[in-house]
Amino acid sequence: MMKHQEIQDLVDYTMKVASAKGDSVVQARNVLEHQIRISNSEIDIFKQWNYTVFDIFVAIDGKIGTTEILSPTRKLIDEEISRLAKLVQSLQPSPLYSGLQEELKQPTKVEQLYDKRIRDFPDQAPDVVTAALNAAQEAGAKRTAGSFFFNETYNLVETTKGFSGDYPESAYRMTLRSFVDPESSGQGLAVGRTIGTAEKDIVQAGQDSGEIALQAVGGKQGKAGVYDLVLHPTVAASILGSLAGTANPLLLMMGMSPLKDKIGKKLGPDSLSVWDDGRKPNGLGSAPFDVEGTPTQKSPIFQNGTLQGVIHNASTAKMMQAKTTGNCSIARFGIGTKMFIPSLSNLVFEPGDASFEELLEPNRPTIYITSNWYLRYTSRLEGSFSTIPRDGMFLIENGEIGQSIQKLRISDNLLRMVANIEALGKSPRQIRWWEVTTPTFIPFVRIKDATMTAATQ
Amino acid sequence: PSETKLNRIFEVDKTLTSTFNSDTLPFRLLTLALETSKKLIANNEGTQVESDYSLGRYLSIFTAKGDKDIEQRAISHGATGGWEWFTDPLFIQSFVDEAQDAKIVADNAKAMTFNKPVDFIVGPEVAGIISHENCGHPSEADRVQGREGMNAGESFWMDIDVGTTRVGSSAVTIIDDPTIPKSGGFYLYDDEGVKARPRYLIKEGIANEMFHDRLSAGRVGVKSNGSSRATNYNREPIPRMANTYIAPGDYSKEELVEDIKFGIYMKSFTEWNIDDRRYQSKYVGSYARLIRDGEITDELVRRPVLELTSRGLFDAVDACSKGFTPGQAICGKSDPSQGMPVWHGGPDAMRLRAIRVGGVST
């Protein structure tokens, strides 16, 4: 990895070049990442990426642009900033920008952000993964497939308003899928930053996936209709997180959120409280500060069912007469270069007080869904969507997990499903995988009267 | 120069805002992405392939507000080898037409219940996504071999014999051809240095060929058919689609419509998804009109749903028309995710017989 002082020197140089053009932000990341992929119950590849990348934001007379430099050198920095400045000057002033955050505050202290044991983990990881595969097989899996990432990243941010801060972070995430036969599968996830507890989490993910896959054997075609749903945290994060995740001014402005014009309105039950929490211990989206240098914070999105607000950077906050929530980022949005916009950190759902068994109790037609993918919208403004359960899906019979079922689709509306939340479990988990890209802390959730559809032929 | 491209984007927007007002088209996002790259592929067998590549992509998402409803659409265009398509007056007109369609749908479309099976005509946009999702993905050999099991999933083609198993009617032939000049998925040699050629995935209803890279091909004792693609130098090359399409037939669109007593013409779609074995699919119609007595009427159907298995869908196809229109897309697969530019397309019309309309109104 590049030495921290080398990165600091290059960032200082970048800031010198960029600030001569206008207001600027430089975000440097030096990443050492590993991936172990598993297919057909074997580790089939072990990869390593080691790279340094700079994201640079420049504002000239209210006109803005970003560029990304991989493996930066002084020559590349000169060339790219010159090119960026020329492009920015040809634009019109951006309605999304009204100046960088001026006020400098002490960064937030985030617990469990970095575990130095990550440095020795590449040697241990294959054994940990093998233990997870064994746990899956002992639980019933005939075949496993998975993807395990872990990384150590050094971050450094400087702004023309005088902010300079750095921090290291460590992270891991495992997706493990077990199959008993091609149509009987289960998924387990392990997500966190603390290497000391990683092995236990990862082996548990293996066991969870094997158990669900075994339970799923003998699945029958599900019958379309209206059911209560008990959502595994993996599914709840995908569906409910998709709604909370649109509490973003950019999405509201573009008509891509069903939360538009609903701030202050009660959309869910009293039991629904959700935050964007950039300082959540062990959260994969946590950081001490955003790219404007604003300390991260815990910002309410829903409180007792009422939509409280949205995330902000300094500019969107000014636009909506609010305060920045420390969510400024240089992030991908759609196609093309990155944008200088507010992005979520971690979504955190307030747990309820129901045990898993209590969530299964109500005597109404109920389906328990353990995983889902492919959530797509008919209308983002309305929140009408569908998504496909995959892996274990079960009818609830007499308050217990019963017949395994298959081949149904949740075809409903995000606003209606949030309004129909009946109970939240008491044990949240952190979810982050292919389908859920915002780290989300959420428990099991019971939702009444959801529509399930099936293929007609 | 960048000013020319920016001016062109503003020109598109100006055409839109002069046609619609902020009440009828309240939200719009217009994005143009132009990328160029140089690629050198070399291996220890002596392969050395150099290429210069440019890809232009345009994505727009807009919301039309009508008397009855709202309608949201995402429109994507793109091609390699230059961005002349973006300066073509026909492009702007086609985009305005799409917005007009959405407005008409928002004004007039009525939810309808269909108690009996009806015939469908789908346009190239719908046929294209079907070719990609119901045929392209399931015929990727790495899925069939379990390599993508953790995230992107496996395939119902695991359960069939390629070369003999019927997966659709004899009217269905689906081809993937990376060598189409200026296409969104264009290449002449894949990322393992294998020469590209058209792949006949389904030939007259019979599963015919899978996408192979050297690894998947070697595992089953065949040769790679040049399907290996990676999004960057630091990503694995794996079997991917390029330009997948449903092969045109001999009929005109009018001839296919003529033969329908009662049915639905689904020109475009909004929501879609498919399970990770690529068998249970759903396509929600956007611009859809009733067909009565052999003619497409002015009656608009609100969001008709094709919720079909891959086999149920391809079995129902009885004819394809002439013509071919491609659409640009980014295909998602693998972990870390590799978003790959592709085209998918189809003939002017593909007819499906006796479809039970699915879904529920939300």
Side-chain angles (χ1 to χ4, degrees):
Chain A
M1 294 179 82
M2 266 178 92
K3 289 182 180 162
H4 292 185
Q5 190 56 51
E6 289 177 73
I7 297 168
Q8 180 73 62
D9 290 346
L10 269 180
V11 166
D12 289 346
Y13 179 75
T14 309
M15 184 49 67
K16 190 176 147 196
V17 177
S19 62
K21 308 289 184 188
D23 276 349
S24 315
V25 171
V26 182
Q27 175 182 241
R29 288 180 300 126
N30 186 30
V31 183
L32 179 59
E33 182 159 48
H34 295 83
Q35 182 197 24
I36 295 176
R37 272 180 71 139
I38 303 115
S39 62
N40 296 311
S41 308
E42 290 181 349
I43 292 175
D44 65 33
I45 197 163
F46 191 163
K47 302 178 192 172
Q48 176 181 301
W49 295 274
N50 186 357
Y51 59 94
T52 302
V53 61
F54 283 12
D55 284 305
I56 300 163
F57 166 80
V58 173
I60 304 170
D61 300 330
K63 306 165 183 180
I64 62 173
T66 71
T67 190
E68 177 185 301
I69 305 177
L70 189 64
S71 305
T73 61
R74 290 189 175 218
K75 183 170 178 285
L76 266 178
I77 289 163
D78 285 340
E79 287 170 359
E80 273 304 298
I81 291 178
S82 170
R83 191 195 59 78
L84 176 63
K86 194 177 166 205
L87 176 70
V88 165
Q89 279 162 339
S90 68
L91 299 173
Q92 295 180 358
S94 170
L96 296 173
Y97 183 71
S98 56
L100 289 175
Q101 172 69 1
E102 300 269 359
E103 191 182 357
L104 298 182
K105 291 183 179 173
Q106 278 295 313
T108 304
K109 182 168 171 50
V110 180
E111 303 290 341
Q112 298 176 49
L113 187 63
Y114 177 66
D115 185 339
K116 64 183 180 187
R117 286 172 286 189
I118 189 77
R119 294 198 170 166
D120 298 325
F121 202 54
D123 294 336
Q124 301 154 13
D127 289 341
V128 173
V129 168
T130 301
L133 302 187
N134 290 340
Q137 286 186 343
E138 282 164 20
K142 302 288 185 204
R143 195 159 54 83
T144 46
S147 179
F148 178 46
F149 286 95
F150 55 98
N151 70 70
E152 176 182 11
T153 302
Y154 172 68
N155 302 273
L156 200 159
V157 171
E158 286 189 6
T159 76
T160 41
K161 299 300 177 188
F163 178 81
S164 178
D166 68 339
Y167 64 96
E169 60 180 322
S170 56
Y172 66 86
R173 60 182 178 92
M174 168 74 142
T175 303
L176 189 63
R177 204 152 175 230
S178 290
F179 297 84
V180 175
D181 58 64
E183 295 202 345
S184 306
S185 56
Q187 180 173 280
L189 301 178
V191 182
R193 292 187 178 277
T194 309
I195 303 308
T197 54
E199 180 168 1
K200 188 178 163 214
D201 285 354
I202 291 161
V203 172
Q204 184 65 50
Q207 186 179 327
D208 290 348
S209 70
E211 287 175 355
I212 295 169
L214 189 62
Q215 273 184 310
V217 172
K220 293 183 176 171
Q221 170 68 55
K223 195 176 167 192
V226 175
Y227 295 86
D228 283 11
L229 303 181
V230 174
L231 306 181
H232 186 281
T234 303
V235 186
S238 168
I239 296 175
L240 303 180
S242 288
L243 180 65
T246 65
N248 184 320
L250 192 66
L251 298 177
L252 298 183
M253 281 173 63
M254 295 193 308
M256 292 175 74
S257 168
L259 300 180
K260 184 164 175 58
D261 301 326
K262 293 190 174 64
I263 291 178
K265 292 190 176 162
K266 191 162 171 66
L267 303 177
D270 288 346
S271 56
L272 179 70
S273 292
V274 186
W275 293 267
D276 176 273
D277 188 354
R279 59 189 192 186
K280 178 78 176 170
N282 206 31
L284 255 56
S286 298
F289 46 80
D290 70 5
V291 299
E292 289 184 290
T294 307
T296 53
Q297 63 181 58
K298 185 175 179 181
S299 311
I301 295 175
F302 285 97
Q303 269 188 332
N304 305 120
T306 298
L307 182 65
Q308 291 293 318
V310 299
I311 59 169
H312 283 295
N313 62 15
S315 294
T316 62
K318 202 175 284 182
M319 195 190 309
M320 293 177 70
Q321 292 84 48
K323 286 186 174 175
T324 176
T325 55
N327 286 88
C328 192
S329 68
I330 303 173
R332 295 215 177 278
F333 186 86
I335 62 174
T337 51
K338 293 177 179 174
M339 291 177 70
F340 193 70
I341 50 176
S343 293
L344 294 164
S345 58
N346 307 290
L347 279 175
V348 178
F349 284 69
E350 174 88 354
D353 53 10
S355 66
F356 179 64
E357 292 72 23
E358 286 167 338
L359 292 174
L360 304 185
E361 269 174 12
N363 189 23
R364 296 192 294 270
T366 302
I367 295 173
Y368 167 44
I369 302 172
T370 65
S371 182
N372 71 300
W373 89 324
Y374 228 132
L375 192 154
R376 292 290 185 278
Y377 296 92
T378 295
S379 164
R380 288 175 181 268
L381 194 58
E382 295 170 2
S384 47
F385 78 104
S386 73
T387 184
I388 307 177
R390 66 185 220 175
D391 305 314
M393 177 165 60
F394 308 94
L395 288 173
I396 301 304
E397 296 164 339
N398 302 316
E400 293 185 347
I401 295 174
Q403 175 65 49
S404 166
I405 55 173
Q406 301 174 337
K407 302 181 176 75
L408 287 177
R409 177 179 274 106
I410 303 171
S411 296
D412 215 294
N413 179 289
L414 292 178
L415 291 172
R416 186 162 60 221
M417 288 188 80
V418 161
N420 284 350
I421 291 174
E422 198 167 62
L424 290 99
K426 56 186 171 187
S427 305
R429 295 185 192 179
Q430 182 173 195
I431 305 298
R432 164 73 177 89
W433 74 291
W434 213 56
E435 187 70 13
V436 177
T437 53
T438 299
T440 303
F441 292 76
I442 192 167
F444 286 88
V445 179
R446 184 180 178 101
I447 294 176
K448 64 185 178 189
D449 296 340
T451 301
M452 304 294 285
T453 59
T456 58
Q457 60 199 73
Chain B
S2 54
E3 287 86 349
T4 314
K5 293 153 192 162
L6 285 164
N7 287 341
R8 189 62 181 166
I9 278 268
F10 288 125
E11 199 180 327
V12 175
D13 195 45
K14 200 173 162 189
T15 310
L16 273 180
T17 51
S18 63
T19 312
F20 305 92
N21 60 41
S22 58
D23 288 332
T24 55
L25 201 70
F27 306 108
R28 59 194 193 283
L29 167 72
L30 288 74
T31 323
L32 177 67
L34 302 167
E35 65 173 84
T36 57
S37 61
K38 285 182 181 293
K39 185 155 64 176
L40 169 63
I41 296 164
N43 66 22
N44 60 353
E45 292 174 352
T47 298
Q48 191 151 325
V49 181
E50 274 185 78
S51 59
D52 285 308
Y53 173 87
S54 67
L55 173 70
R57 286 189 288 142
Y58 172 78
L59 171 68
S60 179
I61 301 171
F62 57 81
T63 305
K65 193 174 174 190
D67 297 337
K68 289 186 170 186
D69 222 323
I70 60 162
E71 188 68 9
Q72 258 180 343
R73 288 271 286 144
I75 308 288
S76 187
H77 293 266
T80 49
W83 66 299
E84 292 79 4
W85 54 272
F86 191 60
T87 61
D88 186 339
L90 288 175
F91 168 76
I92 295 189
Q93 190 53 49
S94 73
F95 185 63
V96 171
D97 290 348
E98 292 281 3
Q100 193 67 53
D101 278 358
K103 174 73 171 73
I104 291 169
V105 167
D107 276 336
N108 300 305
K110 288 180 193 165
M112 296 182 193
T113 303
F114 299 89
N115 296 319
K116 291 180 181 172
V118 299
D119 295 341
F120 269 74
I121 297 275
V122 299
E125 180 181 303
V126 183
I129 186 78
I130 287 171
S131 74
H132 183 95
E133 303 290 5
N134 297 80
C135 171
H137 276 305
S139 57
E140 292 164 340
D142 55 343
R143 285 175 176 274
V144 172
Q145 294 172 3
R147 180 97 206 293
E148 286 286 320
M150 72 288 191
N151 285 327
E154 297 186 338
S155 167
F156 76 96
W157 277 41
M158 292 170 95
D159 308 330
I160 68 170
D161 293 317
V162 175
T164 59
T165 303
R166 178 163 290 284
V167 291
S169 78
S170 59
V172 178
T173 291
I174 300 180
I175 303 162
D176 183 280
D177 185 359
T179 67
I180 300 172
K182 298 202 167 189
S183 58
F186 176 77
Y187 61 90
L188 293 178
Y189 288 84
D190 78 359
D191 289 341
E192 291 176 321
V194 177
K195 191 170 184 181
R197 64 165 174 83
R199 280 79 55 138
Y200 280 71
L201 308 172
I202 297 177
K203 208 178 225 178
E204 295 176 354
I206 307 293
N208 184 67
E209 183 176 10
M210 289 193 276
F211 291 99
H212 275 297
D213 62 5
R214 289 181 177 218
L215 178 66
S216 68
R219 282 177 167 162
V220 291
V222 298
K223 286 193 170 178
S224 165
N225 52 17
S227 304
S228 191
R229 300 180 76 188
T231 52
N232 212 328
Y233 72 94
N234 60 1
R235 293 289 181 267
E236 276 185 69
I238 55 174
R240 301 302 298 260
M241 281 174 263
N243 304 305
T244 315
Y245 61 96
I246 294 179
D250 295 329
Y251 299 94
S252 69
K253 180 179 168 185
E254 291 69 28
E255 283 173 315
L256 296 189
V257 175
E258 209 167 75
D259 216 11
I260 293 178
K261 182 81 181 154
F262 183 72
I264 296 171
Y265 166 56
M266 189 195 284
K267 180 184 173 191
S268 55
F269 71 98
T270 56
E271 174 197 321
W272 87 103
N273 51 30
I274 187 165
D275 71 352
D276 68 315
R277 299 196 81 227
R278 300 283 162 176
Y279 199 62
Q280 313 279 330
S281 60
K282 180 185 182 189
Y283 303 98
V284 178
S286 177
Y287 187 87
R289 291 158 64 180
L290 278 186
I291 299 170
R292 289 184 193 274
D293 300 322
E295 288 193 356
I296 297 173
T297 70
D298 291 334
E299 297 171 77
L300 285 136
V301 189
R302 185 174 186 263
R303 299 176 183 172
V305 175
L306 286 173
E307 193 163 358
L308 301 168
T309 64
S310 293
R311 187 65 205 264
L313 195 160
F314 289 132
D315 277 351
V317 176
D318 82 330
C320 290
S321 79
K322 298 170 188 168
F324 168 70
T325 305
Q328 175 72 34
I330 294 295
C331 169
K333 187 180 172 185
S334 195
D335 196 8
S337 185
Q338 298 195 55
M340 189 63 76
V342 295
W343 264 5
H344 46 60
D348 295 343
M350 178 170 83
R351 186 169 63 195
L352 293 83
R353 291 291 198 186
I355 297 294
R356 288 189 289 277
V357 181
V360 288
S361 173
T362 56

